[in-house]
Amino acid sequence: MSILVIAEYNAEIDLSNLRKSVKAAQLIGSTIDILVTGADTSAFAAAASHINGVNQVVVVKDSVLGQPLAENHALVITKFSADYEHFIFAATSWGKDVAPRVAGSLDVAQFSDVIDIESADVFVRPIYAGNAMAKVKACCAKKVLTIRGTAFSEAELSDTAAAVTVLKQSADAGLSSFVSEELSKSERPSITAASIIISGGRGMQNGENFSILERVADKLGAAIGASRAAVDAGFVPNDMQIGQTGKVVAPNLYIAVGISGAIQHLAGMKDSKVIVAINKDEDAPIFQIADYGLVGDLFDIMPELEAAL
Ligand code: FAD
């Protein structure tokens, strides 16, 4: 039985999440196929076919798959259930939307946020906001996994391309229809791809003060994140939230500004390579995991940092 790695199509042809999912699949060690579901995915599928270790790329095309409606994509993926034992998704918003529907259709449990694969049926995943690791053994024949991207490196690219098979299928589950979408556009790198992130918390006091972080971010080429308190207070939009109920990141450098370091925030950033904390409270828990801590008022420190840069 083979492994089906499900690709999340994007027009930018960013293969990072897909390559990490393939890397995870390689730890299971049987034949790896990639499934791309979409409306016009030829360039994406061609790029994906160069991921090392992939047997073939299967493309399912239908106009309704041009939108990320989970019901339709899950319907298509479930049709492949007879041919595969493992179904691997990246633990992105889309993956977390589609995977449970596939698991539900197959009547099996889902293994979420997998950070290590010990064998074909033993997986490691964080529980209690990352304070403990659970080693779980699958008892069902079919395994549906979401993979935490920060825990896996990207599979290599190869000069040779795997075969690409295109199937045309009717994919309308008839359960949802696309109305509209509002995409946030930013010149900055995305939070999940950035190698440097500066995050602001409740200590920023309001949304306007995030411009202090933006000026430093511009000099460093950094992305900007936030704590949930900052999001809940309306300072910044919720796609910037990092933590247990936000995005999970592991950049080379994470600068936490006016963030106390609640476990739910740490769950989303504690695997960052170097952590810098700026906080006026020397007892703030963020200092316990920080590599560098600056105790002081962020409204003094951040302009100094900007000037120094
Ligand atoms: P606070 O805890 O209020 O900390 C503000 C910090 O700013 C303080 O340490 C203070 O000393 C410092 N400060 C204030 N003024 C200044 C200044 N002028 N200069 C320097 N420092 C200053 N939180 C997340 O972040 N992400 C999540 O995904 C998340 N998920 C959650 C899920 C659940 C189920 C629950 C219950 C909670 C979750 N939370 C999450 C919330 C979390 O528990 C905390 O409430 C939140 O992280 C606190 O945000 P904060 O550190 O910005 O605010």
Side-chain angles (χ1 to χ4, degrees):
M1 290 291 267
S2 309
I3 303 165
L4 190 62
V5 176
I6 290 83
E8 179 176 349
Y9 168 79
N10 60 77
E12 298 76 34
I13 315 190
D14 177 353
L15 296 178
S16 176
N17 284 329
L18 180 57
R19 288 169 64 185
K20 288 173 179 175
S21 296
V22 170
K23 192 76 178 181
Q26 287 169 350
L27 294 173
I28 298 170
S30 59
T31 310
I32 300 168
D33 291 350
I34 288 175
L35 174 63
V36 184
T37 52
D40 178 17
T41 58
S42 345
F44 184 92
S49 71
H50 283 276
I51 299 177
N52 203 19
V54 170
N55 171 55
Q56 66 163 333
V57 177
V58 180
V59 177
V60 176
K61 282 176 75 166
D62 188 31
S63 57
V64 296
L65 296 172
Q67 308 301 341
L69 295 176
E71 294 83 355
N72 298 337
H73 290 267
L75 176 74
V76 170
I77 296 161
T78 309
K79 286 183 185 160
F80 289 86
S81 61
D83 304 325
Y84 297 92
E85 187 174 318
H86 293 82
F87 296 81
I88 297 186
F89 297 77
T92 58
S93 302
W94 185 79
K96 288 192 269 190
D97 195 5
V98 181
R101 296 169 202 274
V102 174
S105 300
L106 300 179
D107 199 20
V108 298
Q110 175 183 308
F111 301 92
S112 303
D113 271 321
V114 169
I115 58 162
D116 197 11
I117 291 176
E118 295 214 341
S119 68
D121 56 3
V122 178
F123 316 115
V124 181
R125 58 176 301 261
I127 55 171
Y128 302 124
N131 282 311
M133 297 300 144
K135 193 185 287 186
V136 285
K137 186 171 180 7
C139 52
C140 304
K142 308 282 176 193
K143 289 105 184 157
V144 177
L145 282 68
T146 63
I147 294 295
R148 187 174 277 193
T150 54
F152 297 91
S153 58
E154 294 179 2
E156 305 288 314
L157 293 175
S158 159
D159 288 339
T160 48
V164 177
T165 311
V166 181
L167 308 172
K168 203 136 174 25
Q169 277 183 18
S170 171
D172 191 352
L175 294 168
S176 56
S177 58
F178 180 78
V179 178
S180 67
E181 66 185 352
E182 282 177 36
L183 298 174
S184 53
K185 287 211 163 56
S186 170
E187 296 298 305
R188 296 204 174 79
S190 77
I191 287 181
T192 43
S195 62
I196 303 177
I197 298 175
I198 305 180
S199 286
R202 202 191 320 253
M204 297 304 300
Q205 295 181 359
N206 56 49
E208 290 74 53
N209 286 339
F210 268 72
S211 62
I212 299 170
L213 304 189
E214 285 166 12
R215 291 199 292 274
V216 174
D218 287 344
K219 291 194 186 266
L220 293 172
I224 298 188
S227 71
R228 178 158 161 182
V231 170
D232 286 353
F235 299 173
V236 287
N238 68 357
D239 61 353
M240 287 169 65
Q241 184 180 318
I242 289 170
Q244 184 187 344
T245 44
K247 300 211 165 70
V248 177
V249 298
N252 290 329
L253 174 61
Y254 188 89
I255 307 176
V257 185
I259 291 178
S260 59
I263 55 164
Q264 294 91 354
H265 187 78
L266 304 189
M269 46 63 75
K270 68 178 162 42
D271 291 331
S272 305
K273 312 290 174 296
V274 175
I275 298 171
V276 175
I278 298 170
N279 198 302
K280 67 179 182 185
D281 174 8
E282 63 179 35
D283 294 324
I286 190 79
F287 288 128
Q288 289 168 18
I289 61 149
D291 299 285
Y292 299 92
L294 282 169
V295 179
D297 192 316
L298 72 92
F299 296 104
D300 297 330
I301 291 174
M302 292 308 288
E304 276 183 47
L305 180 59
E306 184 192 343
L309 285 168

